[in-house]
Amino acid sequence: MKLVGLLVAIALVVLGGLMLRDRDFLPVLAPSRAPLDGEIERIVVEKSARRLTVFREGEAVRRHRIALGFAPEGDKAREGDGKTPEGLFRIDRRNPGSAFHLSLGIDYPRPEDVARARAGGYSPGGDIFIHGQPNRLKGIVTIPYDWTAGCIAVSDATMEELWRIAPTGTLVEIRP
């Protein structure tokens, strides 16, 4: 049992070292650019690239690394599938008291998602957010792998910037 604990500790140290080398995941510890001000018009999430791009006046102004649901391949079909939905959405709510260092809700499920799920006799799921890291990590590390239940996770510093610049109504396009 002690060997298992030791192996877990070593794995965490190695992952921590990998995260420290990734400047996109730790902008709080290694700021590399000035913060954005003003509102943006669009967020594009490319699931396969694990990338979130922020657009203003049609121009990409910032790119961030992301983590997705624990089973990210394909479109979200039902509650509990671990997939991040694909399509066009809007930010429809803001949660300053999130368990994941702020969160911006997207308007999933859409009416067609609800209809499909109703026809299949299951729940489409919901509560899909762009959010920061678990509050218990308090900005110390950013989880570098797909771990959410279907949300889009970013570093806490990235989430703080998105919180400032992405108003309710911002278009969010989630691509495969």
Side-chain angles (χ1 to χ4, degrees):
M1 197 52 122
K2 287 184 180 182
L3 179 60
V4 171
L6 178 62
L7 291 174
V8 168
I10 290 170
L12 290 173
V13 168
V14 169
L15 280 174
L18 291 173
M19 287 185 292
L20 288 174
R21 291 195 319 231
D22 186 345
R23 294 177 65 90
D24 281 340
F25 263 128
L26 291 175
V28 169
L29 299 178
S32 61
R33 49 199 167 188
L36 287 176
D37 290 321
E39 292 184 353
I40 60 165
E41 67 202 30
R42 181 182 184 99
I43 295 171
V44 174
V45 173
E46 298 166 273
K47 290 171 50 173
S48 61
R50 302 302 188 274
R51 180 173 50 224
L52 179 149
T53 305
V54 174
F55 288 84
R56 179 180 291 141
E57 297 177 7
E59 184 176 329
V61 294
R62 188 78 94 226
R63 287 191 171 84
H64 300 283
R65 297 221 25 202
I66 60 170
L68 299 169
F70 61 84
E73 298 295 320
D75 193 6
K76 184 160 199 64
R78 62 177 58 212
E79 184 173 18
D81 65 7
K83 297 184 183 310
T84 302
E86 298 171 358
L88 293 175
F89 305 94
R90 295 237 179 233
I91 293 175
D92 67 348
R93 60 201 182 281
R94 303 167 69 80
N95 183 0
S98 172
F100 300 98
H101 192 68
L102 304 174
S103 61
L104 298 171
I106 65 168
D107 61 351
Y108 176 88
R110 297 162 297 186
E112 59 268 28
D113 300 313
V114 172
R116 182 190 68 244
R118 185 174 294 133
Y122 53 84
S123 169
D127 285 336
I128 302 296
F129 290 86
I130 300 170
H131 62 67
Q133 300 298 297
N135 287 337
R136 68 182 178 279
L137 296 179
K138 303 240 186 260
I140 298 168
V141 296
T142 297
I143 301 170
Y145 52 84
D146 295 327
W147 60 272
T148 76
C151 295
I152 300 156
V154 296
S155 72
D156 288 350
T158 295
M159 191 62 234
E160 289 170 11
E161 183 172 79
L162 292 174
W163 185 264
R164 281 193 320 273
I165 64 174
T168 300
T170 299
L171 183 65
V172 178
E173 180 182 353
I174 304 175
R175 300 174 180 168

